[in-house]
Amino acid sequence: MLSIRSITKRFGGFTALDEVSLEISPGECFGLLGPNGAGKTTLMSLIAGLRKPDGGMISPGKSGARASLGLVPQNVALYTDLTAGQNLEIFGKLQGLRGATLRERVGEALEAVQLSERRKDVVKTFSGGMQRRLNLAAALLHRPGLLLCDEPTVGVDPQSRNAIFDYLGQLNRDGLTIIYSTHYMEEAARLCSRIGIIDHGKILALGTLDELLALLPFEDEIIFPNTSETKLFAERMAPHGKLVSENGAQYRFFPQLKLSEFYRRAEELNLPARLFAQQRPTLEAVFLHLTGRTLRDTK
Amino acid sequence: MSIILTLLRKEYLIFKCDRAAFALTFLVPALMIYIFGMVFGINRADTGPRGIPLAVVNECDNPAARHLVDVLRAEKGFRIITTTTPDGGAERELEAGDLKPLMRDNVFRFAIVIPSNLIETSSPGVNLKLLSNPRNEIETQTVNGLLQKCIFSNVPQLLGQSMQASMKSMLGGAGKDKFNRNIAGAISESFGVNESEVLRELEAGNFGFDRMTSRDGDAADGGKTKKGNPLGELIKIENEQVVGKDVKSPAAARNVGAWAVMFLLFSVSHLAITLFEEKRAGLLQRLMSSSVRPSHVLWSKFLFGVLLGLVQLMALFCAGRLLYGLDIVSHFGQLLLMSAAAAGACAGFGMLIASIARTSAAAGFLTTLLVMLMSCLGGAWVPVSFMPEVVQKISVFTIPYWVIEGFMQVFWEGGSLARLAPTVGVLCGITLAAMSVAWWRFKRGTIFEP
Ligand SMILES: Nc1ncnc2c1ncn2[C@@H]1O[C@H](COP(=O)(O)OP(=O)(O)O)[C@@H](O)[C@H]1O
Ligand SMILES: [Mg+2]
């Protein structure tokens, strides 16, 4: 349905996207996971036809099937001095909706994002989460075939986030193709059938959640507290896997040695097994494995 | 205290980073002072108006009349016009009958007629006729002042001749000669000077009035006869206002254009700022991702600017009517046309700013700078005729110049649609040029890139 081939985008001497290739099939929900500055927004704007690439191509072209896409911009792009209803009416009209259809769609969209009662309220009086929901609704009025969501949940309360997720999930089940960018791995894992991990303008890995997890050379990750007793042990284990200190309070360790061997060495230092919590690795671990950095504290 | 110092340092650091604020604080005032200085004539050795067109029709063959024309010619404040080139005709001398139509067309606003009876024979005195179109008060007062200066410096000779002429008519030619000879004889006897020299002076009309007038003349307001000045009563200047006689509220009619253009420019250039706000909020992205094109944004904002400007102007004129009795009904068609043209040019200016500025701050800065500059150069503050000739040439490239001109034609001259057409044409041209550049910039510029 959408084919992105060796797309390159530069800003002056800086390469924001470096030969990115992707295939998106109809009806899928594709997650674009990467830290801030990875190039997610740039890729979205190229797909939406807001920028021209410096190299490569996207097909179909902007005038073809891609003409009917919905974009949920990273910022809240609403006229905040106008009411929710007025905003949706303007965007609906710009999408070519008129009369009864327009009224109907605006009503539906407000209903879907649970803002029907606030229809006549001015947008700047809305909470961040409500504005985000309206931001999403504005992209769906014309029932696009492809929805681009650029970090639609930044700064959103859990309740609004759930509302957005439920709605997107339902739209996807009804056949809408979604490209969803985020730097929250939980979101990508929860919502998306396929995920691309992007960093420094490059797609580092591409696949379903299981496929991505299978890239890891270990089965489990181990979490243990960062205390004076464990310090020496952590230092000793560092060469045998990836060790990350989280907030100085605990370590995450992605072992590249057998677990039995790991626990044997812990015992040598009189560290009891109950200090160590073992868990299935997440996308975070995949990103760490691929880049050597965690998703959050990278720039 | 240290808190204040820290905050002070923060203010300084932020200020230093803000290039627009920096320019606004240091560079722009310097530039403005320079330009204002030119406009207000601060830097010139002799300040005052330059080259105000003054038509002179000399119907008198007296040498003193020719001398008066020469004196007027020598005055830098005036640019003397003595010829006209009718449509399709050859250049010829101006005649008194040409003056009023040309004045109605604003070819010149002041004309002086030296009549054949410049020097009265029935009673001592000098006759002159001044036609004026006092569309600008400062200019009119200045022209009156300049004329007085020129006439009074020339008056002794004129008056002497006038007295000679009236004596001649009273005493007859022979009697006058005898009178002169007697006087000359008495003067040469009393003061021991050459009698024939005195006689020659007397016959030329040199009664020594110049020594009298050099003192009084400077301060005199001889144009309109002034009490307490004996000379003023001898000089009869017939004043006729050619244009704007019937204007009900002259002061309002004269100034309304200048008010209007400042309002307009500031309000429509706010449009440019809204564009940057939309960009910052990501709204342009959203619009562009639907079927909106940059040109749609450009034209919608432009049209809104024109409508906003029109409504604003109408409100302004209604206020002028209520407060000062400004006549807005007599020439409503022209007023509407002119308002639309003015609003169009100003909206075009706003879009031009939007298209060349990169940020909202830059747009605000450019607006302030250009509106001030254009208002100053365009004659919203000081009549254009007071500016050095170089600056006067630049004036015609500003929007205020043409807006002020147009509203003057409507309110002051009550001009016809045909008379207004060139001005409206120029404003349309400005609009077109501004919008072309804006359109080109919108197509190629970065404002629509996310
Ligand atoms: N208009 C621009 N000019 C210059 N650099 C830009 C521009 N837009 C984005 N970038 C740079 O491109 C990189 C990718 O940006 P972006 O696509 O916004 O990242 P993300 O959305 O993943 O956070 C960043 O390093 C950013 O600084
Ligand atoms: Mg982004």
Side-chain angles (χ1 to χ4, degrees):
Chain A
M1 174 200 188
L2 182 70
S3 153
I4 296 165
R5 264 166 273 156
S6 312
I7 282 287
T8 300
K9 180 70 193 176
R10 290 184 205 93
F11 296 111
F14 176 78
T15 306
L17 287 178
D18 191 1
E19 307 242 331
V20 168
S21 295
L22 278 178
E23 297 283 334
I24 313 280
S25 13
E28 87 169 311
C29 179
F30 182 85
L32 201 54
L33 177 68
N36 283 328
K40 304 183 294 294
T41 301
T42 308
L43 183 56
M44 291 284 197
S45 67
L46 287 166
I47 297 172
L50 299 173
R51 292 185 200 277
K52 290 201 169 51
D54 294 314
M57 64 176 285
I58 303 178
S59 63
K62 172 77 174 132
S63 48
R66 214 150 42 96
S68 123
L69 57 75
L71 173 67
V72 184
Q74 186 173 350
N75 303 334
V76 174
L78 299 166
Y79 292 101
T80 50
D81 291 328
L82 306 182
T83 67
Q86 284 171 329
N87 266 283
L88 293 188
E89 275 159 30
I90 290 171
F91 296 127
K93 275 190 187 150
L94 289 177
Q95 296 288 4
L97 303 175
R98 293 287 178 278
T101 324
L102 177 65
R103 276 195 300 281
E104 201 177 289
R105 296 278 180 89
V106 169
E108 276 173 23
L110 285 169
E111 187 68 37
V113 296
Q114 297 158 27
L115 286 172
S116 293
E117 300 96 85
R118 304 297 303 267
R119 178 180 187 138
K120 295 220 159 67
D121 292 344
V122 172
V123 172
K124 67 178 165 201
T125 64
F126 286 13
S127 73
M130 289 158 74
Q131 294 189 354
R132 284 279 169 191
R133 269 141 59 194
L134 191 60
N135 200 37
L136 171 61
L140 290 163
L141 292 166
H142 59 301
R143 298 199 176 141
L146 170 65
L147 184 70
L148 305 175
C149 295
D150 195 0
E151 307 210 30
T153 60
V154 172
V156 158
D157 55 290
Q159 202 185 338
S160 286
R161 175 185 295 222
N162 281 331
I164 290 175
F165 270 38
D166 291 347
Y167 187 34
L168 286 176
Q170 190 203 320
L171 287 167
N172 184 229
R173 281 191 297 279
D174 293 347
L176 176 66
T177 313
I178 299 175
I179 302 180
Y180 187 99
S181 91
T182 181
H183 65 273
Y184 297 119
M185 50 117 193
E186 311 85 12
E187 290 192 346
R190 176 173 163 189
L191 196 68
C192 304
S193 45
R194 223 154 51 93
I195 296 162
I197 294 180
I198 183 171
D199 189 33
H200 291 319
K202 282 198 170 84
I203 299 273
L204 301 177
L206 201 63
T208 62
L209 181 59
D210 288 335
E211 283 165 355
L212 290 174
L213 290 176
L215 293 174
L216 293 171
F218 51 86
E219 294 271 302
D220 288 297
E221 61 179 75
I222 300 167
I223 295 169
F224 57 98
N226 182 352
T227 61
S228 46
E229 297 112 67
T230 59
K231 203 171 164 65
L232 178 66
F233 178 64
E235 276 167 19
R236 284 203 190 158
M237 292 319 287
H240 300 288
K242 271 185 187 129
L243 184 78
V244 186
S245 168
E246 282 193 339
N247 311 323
Q250 62 175 20
Y251 289 112
R252 285 174 88 145
F253 183 61
F254 305 100
Q256 274 163 358
L257 74 179
K258 288 217 171 68
L259 285 181
S260 54
E261 178 67 12
F262 177 87
Y263 286 113
R264 198 186 60 74
R265 297 213 187 177
E267 227 160 88
E268 278 175 14
L269 289 172
N270 291 325
L271 296 173
R274 62 177 162 76
L275 282 179
F276 303 96
Q278 213 171 309
Q279 68 172 39
R280 293 277 301 153
T282 59
L283 282 171
E284 181 80 49
V286 179
F287 187 80
L288 187 80
H289 172 68
L290 292 171
T291 66
R293 293 168 293 131
T294 62
L295 269 170
R296 247 150 269 166
D297 49 44
T298 42
K299 166 64 209 84
Chain B
M1 193 58 204
S2 84
I3 292 180
I4 290 188
L5 281 180
T6 310
L7 293 177
L8 194 71
R9 188 174 147 70
K10 172 215 63 171
E11 295 291 341
Y12 167 71
L13 288 174
I14 292 172
F15 175 79
K16 219 176 56 174
C17 297
D18 189 344
R19 269 193 294 170
F22 202 79
L24 209 54
T25 315
F26 298 112
L27 297 179
V28 172
L31 179 71
M32 293 298 239
I33 284 172
Y34 176 71
I35 289 168
F36 288 0
M38 290 223 298
V39 166
F40 290 102
I42 288 168
N43 210 11
R44 270 182 284 154
D46 52 341
T47 59
R50 275 304 164 99
I52 301 176
L54 173 73
V56 177
V57 172
N58 185 3
E59 295 176 336
C60 178
D61 45 17
N62 189 307
R66 269 201 303 282
H67 182 63
L68 177 59
V69 175
D70 290 339
V71 169
L72 289 172
R73 231 185 259 285
E75 169 57 53
K76 290 197 202 79
F78 290 132
R79 180 166 60 81
I80 302 302
I81 300 170
T82 54
T83 58
T84 178
T85 314
D87 282 339
E91 192 176 18
R92 61 171 174 75
E93 290 286 308
L94 267 176
E95 287 162 17
D98 300 326
L99 296 178
K100 286 187 189 174
L102 288 172
M103 286 179 77
R104 289 200 188 93
D105 286 350
N106 203 23
V107 176
F108 43 80
R109 288 186 285 281
F110 302 94
I112 191 158
V113 179
I114 306 175
S116 51
N117 65 339
L118 169 70
I119 292 160
E120 286 272 16
T121 46
S122 50
S123 65
V126 175
N127 291 314
L128 284 170
K129 181 167 183 184
L130 175 65
L131 302 173
S132 66
N133 169 7
R135 64 146 65 186
N136 183 301
E137 274 174 296
I138 307 177
E139 189 186 59
T140 307
Q141 283 171 12
T142 308
V143 167
N144 280 333
L146 283 174
L147 277 176
Q148 283 159 30
K149 189 177 102 189
C150 294
I151 294 167
F152 270 74
S153 66
N154 194 34
V155 109
Q157 203 190 359
L158 288 175
L159 272 183
Q161 285 197 12
S162 152
M163 288 179 84
Q164 287 279 330
S166 45
M167 260 188 297
K168 189 170 171 181
S169 69
M170 278 190 308
L171 307 170
K176 188 201 86 176
D177 287 347
K178 184 160 173 262
F179 176 82
N180 278 347
R181 264 198 307 282
N182 291 344
I183 295 269
I187 289 174
S188 73
E189 222 164 89
S190 322
F191 298 99
V193 288
N194 185 335
E195 183 181 334
S196 62
E197 226 165 73
V198 175
L199 183 63
R200 203 169 53 244
E201 291 271 314
L202 285 177
E203 277 173 345
N206 290 342
F207 283 75
F209 281 114
D210 51 342
R211 285 181 286 282
M212 254 170 77
T213 53
S214 60
R215 216 175 35 251
D216 298 340
D218 287 343
D221 167 61
K224 292 151 238 159
T225 52
K226 188 174 176 181
K227 288 179 194 74
N229 180 356
L231 283 171
E233 280 156 32
L234 296 173
I235 297 167
K236 296 168 202 119
I237 297 186
E238 187 191 336
N239 252 312
E240 186 181 346
Q241 182 177 341
V242 178
V243 183
K245 263 182 299 206
D246 309 323
V247 173
K248 287 185 197 111
S249 53
R254 282 182 184 122
N255 293 311
V256 77
W259 301 337
V261 74
M262 302 268 280
F263 273 109
L264 267 183
L265 282 173
F266 275 116
S267 73
V268 297
S269 46
H270 178 69
L271 283 178
I273 314 265
T274 65
L275 184 75
F276 291 102
E277 276 166 10
E278 282 181 271
K279 180 186 165 115
R280 194 173 39 92
L283 275 158
L284 289 182
Q285 270 180 76
R286 163 156 272 156
L287 297 182
M288 293 302 128
S289 74
S290 64
S291 43
V292 177
R293 302 279 81 87
S295 59
H296 293 137
V297 175
L298 179 75
W299 286 108
S300 62
K301 281 202 185 287
F302 171 73
L303 281 179
F304 182 74
V306 175
L307 293 175
L308 182 74
L310 256 183
V311 171
Q312 194 188 28
L313 282 177
M314 289 307 142
L316 178 73
F317 296 144
C318 289
R321 160 128 195 101
L322 289 175
L323 295 172
Y324 308 112
L326 185 70
D327 178 12
I328 56 173
V329 265
S330 316
H331 307 284
F332 193 73
Q334 285 95 313
L335 183 59
L336 210 58
L337 178 68
M338 184 50 218
S339 299
C346 292
F349 167 76
M351 296 325 291
L352 184 65
I353 296 284
S355 73
I356 52 183
R358 284 179 172 271
T359 61
S360 155
F365 164 71
L366 259 181
T367 302
T368 312
L369 180 73
L370 288 179
V371 171
M372 296 252 280
L373 261 184
M374 288 204 300
S375 302
C376 176
L377 290 172
W381 302 341
V382 177
V384 171
S385 52
F386 277 49
M387 301 173 193
E389 264 149 71
V390 206
V391 184
Q392 292 191 21
K393 290 207 177 78
I394 302 172
S395 295
V396 299
F397 292 101
T398 66
I399 295 174
Y401 178 89
W402 294 101
V403 173
I404 292 171
E405 181 66 28
F407 283 119
M408 213 62 185
Q409 283 165 3
V410 174
F411 285 112
W412 182 252
E413 294 161 19
S416 64
L417 280 174
R419 170 87 176 84
L420 201 56
T423 311
V424 170
V426 170
L427 284 170
C428 290
I430 291 176
T431 313
L432 204 69
M435 288 304 283
S436 304
V437 176
W439 187 66
W440 176 73
R441 290 277 313 176
F442 267 52
K443 263 177 57 181
R444 318 201 62 216
T446 54
I447 176 132
F448 290 98
E449 293 221 326

